[in-house]
Amino acid sequence: MSLPGASELFGGAAPKQTRPEKRTATDGPALSDRPAPSGRSRTAVEDRKSSGRIRHDTKITVYVTEEELIGLEQTRLALRAEHGLTADRGRIVREAIDVLLADFVDHGPDSVLVQRLRAAAE
């Protein structure tokens, strides 16, 4: 006996997203609208925004400390309680990645990512 899969139960799979969406005027200033740091060319990261709540076909596993997980969960709850925003932990992580990558593209050696990685290496 075979049971129906999730796609049969819930009306089919979500459409695949083949390209990241570009920012719109309501998303805030697009990264491509900002001046590039001298000597650096624009990349695809600058034209992308977080994928939000769509079906994701690619997965990674990230291990976090208990404190990091509690911080993530507290942030999720604060977003709901203080700002009326509902987001799961995955969505918060994808947004954080998007912000961090945009900062890296815009600021290069002065980015938060480079500074934190350098500090951790010392």
Side-chain angles (χ1 to χ4, degrees), residues 45-100:
V45 172
E46 295 171 294
D47 291 332
R48 96 179 268 297
K49 72 173 194 171
S50 175
S51 58
R53 290 192 58 86
I54 63 165
R55 179 182 172 153
H56 295 90
D57 296 324
T58 306
K59 177 182 176 179
I60 65 169
T61 301
V62 177
Y63 292 90
V64 297
T65 64
E66 185 175 346
E67 292 82 18
E68 290 167 334
L69 183 58
I70 290 171
L72 183 57
E73 188 62 21
Q74 288 174 336
T75 299
R76 185 186 70 80
L77 294 172
L79 284 168
R80 183 170 51 180
E82 298 170 20
H83 304 283
L85 298 170
T86 303
D88 60 32
R89 293 183 300 205
R91 172 80 186 271
I92 295 168
V93 169
R94 288 188 299 275
E95 291 291 341
I97 290 170
D98 189 54
V99 169
L100 191 66

Side-chain angles (χ1 to χ4, degrees), residues 8-26:
E8 287 110 4
L9 290 173
F10 300 110
K16 287 186 178 180
Q17 182 180 9
T18 57
R19 273 182 60 196
E21 296 176 18
K22 290 196 176 193
R23 292 182 186 268
T24 63
T26 58

Side-chain angles (χ1 to χ4, degrees), residues 22-40:
K22 290 196 176 193
R23 292 182 186 268
T24 63
T26 58
D27 293 327
L31 293 172
S32 58
D33 295 340
R34 299 178 193 166
S38 59
R40 296 176 52 115

